[in-house]
Amino acid sequence: MTEKERELLELLEKSGRMSEDKIAMMLDVTVEDVTSMIQKLEKERVIIGYSTIIDWSKVNTSESVTAMIDVKVTPKRGVGFDEVAERIYRFKEVKALYLMSGTYDLSVVIEGKSMSEIARFVSDKLSTLDSVISTTTHFQLKKYKHDGIVFEDRDEDHRIVVSP
């Protein structure tokens, strides 16, 4: 990977909506070079997709519930954790799945319409998988920061400065 490609990735990671013209200017290359680099990186699946971060708590629709589920599993000979991870990430409720170090093996992030919907997912789908030994579910109460973006609008500090 070239240095320009690395710089391009850093720019896109900060703002996926940046125009190719602006990127070309910032990297000191032509627009055609930027287009070519992006196509190459997409083809190689270095760039997997583009997403927008939305603060759903500010949208006047029914909010969803997000849960992080720690899962202890028995890895299978020859495939390790990959086989059970693939079975888990195929569920439509699963938004993210990570192999972890520590007490639990997998961390699953899921979204549902209610806590009871998430409970049904855990009891009916996740816990019934052969390799799953145990689960611990944590419900997200408030999102402060996600992917480097702070969600809370903080006003200026209005405290009075006290000095000796």
Side-chain angles (χ1 to χ4, degrees):
M1 177 171 297
T2 68
E3 186 60 34
K4 292 291 183 190
E5 289 172 340
R6 275 185 104 59
E7 291 175 32
L8 169 68
L9 292 173
E10 289 173 9
L11 291 173
L12 288 175
E13 187 175 45
K14 288 180 188 162
S15 177
R17 291 191 57 173
M18 193 179 301
S19 72
E20 291 184 359
D21 292 337
K22 187 171 182 178
I23 294 170
M25 184 180 69
M26 293 175 80
L27 295 179
D28 194 28
V29 297
T30 67
V31 175
E32 292 77 22
D33 289 340
V34 171
T35 303
S36 172
M37 283 190 285
I38 289 173
Q39 288 173 347
K40 174 184 176 252
L41 293 167
E42 287 173 342
K43 183 178 178 188
E44 294 173 351
R45 295 201 34 89
V46 173
I47 297 174
I48 297 172
Y50 301 88
S51 64
T52 302
I53 299 171
I54 299 168
D55 186 350
W56 287 106
S57 68
K58 293 183 179 177
V59 178
N60 292 332
T61 61
S62 61
E63 290 189 40
S64 64
V65 177
T66 302
M68 287 79 164
I69 306 168
D70 298 326
V71 184
K72 186 175 281 201
V73 300
T74 303
K76 293 201 174 177
R77 185 176 303 257
V79 292
F81 297 100
D82 295 344
E83 185 178 290
V84 70
E86 183 176 349
R87 290 187 68 192
I88 293 170
Y89 71 62
R90 289 187 182 275
F91 291 119
K92 67 176 176 49
E93 298 90 345
V94 175
K95 301 302 174 197
L97 176 63
Y98 307 99
L99 178 62
M100 306 296 288
S101 64
T103 306
Y104 290 90
D105 303 306
L106 300 172
S107 180
V108 183
V109 179
I110 69 166
E111 286 183 5
K113 292 182 179 129
S114 65
M115 288 181 158
S116 60
E117 185 178 300
I118 290 173
R120 279 192 302 277
F121 170 81
V122 173
S123 63
D124 297 347
K125 295 180 179 178
L126 188 59
S127 295
T128 59
L129 295 175
D130 292 337
S131 297
V132 173
I133 298 169
S134 67
T135 64
T136 301
T137 303
H138 309 275
F139 289 97
Q140 177 182 302
L141 302 177
K142 184 175 180 180
K143 189 182 294 188
Y144 292 101
K145 186 176 182 178
H146 180 78
D147 282 346
I149 306 295
V150 176
F151 277 68
E152 213 169 82
D153 292 331
R154 305 270 337 220
D155 292 333
E156 290 183 35
D157 190 354
H158 296 290
R159 294 179 291 177
I160 299 173
V161 177
V162 178
S163 59

